[in-house]
Amino acid sequence: MTRTLRPTRIGVLAVVFVTMLVFLPSPSASATSGTLYIDETTTLTEDHHGHIVIVGDDLTLDCAGHSLFGPGGGAGIDLEFRSGVTIQNCKASGFGGAIAGWDVRNVRIIGNELFESRNGVAVAGQNIEIVGNVVYDNSRNGISYWSGTDAVISGNTVSGSGYRGVQVE
């Protein structure tokens, strides 16, 4: 007697699932995940999968070249309503805004690599420095700065934006 094996529904799903895993970014051997809340000067020691929310003022987040991987929406590094914050040396992709915040003051965004998000930088506020960043392949704008005063946007390399490289309104 010869038996013919046919793929079952579970078998087909397993093949699709395995195929999908091949295209996901592979997590590093040492990576954190979820939402990190930062309330003091912090230097990352590993990559992070998820959002970072700045909940304190007068601090520095130094990613030390580590990467942030996003779920496709929201802010990668959320600066909303913060003052005196410096974000530096971060690599961020997969967010609505890799670095974003409304009503920010005295914020410095320096030496980051921001790519493959909707917006690389999206901020509104006063006394903002966006300097020396590499921003590329974002589906909307590379750098967006709205409704503020005293902004310095200089020395950035911006390419491959869907709408505008740099938007100032």
Side-chain angles (χ1 to χ4, degrees), residues 18-141:
V18 170
T19 302
M20 289 174 60
L21 286 177
V22 172
F23 296 105
L24 294 174
S26 58
S28 65
S30 63
T32 57
S33 64
T35 301
L36 290 178
Y37 295 90
I38 305 292
D39 64 356
E40 63 185 3
T41 293
T42 302
T43 300
L44 294 185
T45 58
E46 56 196 357
D47 292 347
H48 180 70
H49 294 264
H51 304 279
I52 295 178
V53 179
I54 306 297
V55 295
D57 293 328
D58 302 313
L59 62 84
T60 297
L61 170 62
D62 186 345
C63 293
H66 291 286
S67 297
L68 283 70
F69 302 100
I77 300 172
D78 184 346
L79 300 168
E80 196 139 41
F81 306 115
R82 302 284 38 116
S83 177
V85 173
T86 299
I87 305 296
Q88 62 190 28
N89 304 317
C90 298
K91 296 178 183 178
S93 65
F95 297 99
I99 298 175
W102 295 101
D103 198 17
V104 298
R105 294 179 181 359
N106 306 316
V107 167
R108 301 173 70 217
I109 300 169
I110 300 173
N112 300 287
E113 184 178 347
L114 311 169
F115 59 100
E116 296 175 1
S117 291
R118 191 171 336 137
N119 296 295
V121 175
V123 293
Q126 297 177 359
N127 195 22
I128 310 298
E129 289 183 47
I130 304 169
V131 178
N133 299 284
V134 177
V135 184
Y136 60 95
D137 295 341
N138 293 287
S139 64
R140 294 202 72 184
N141 299 320

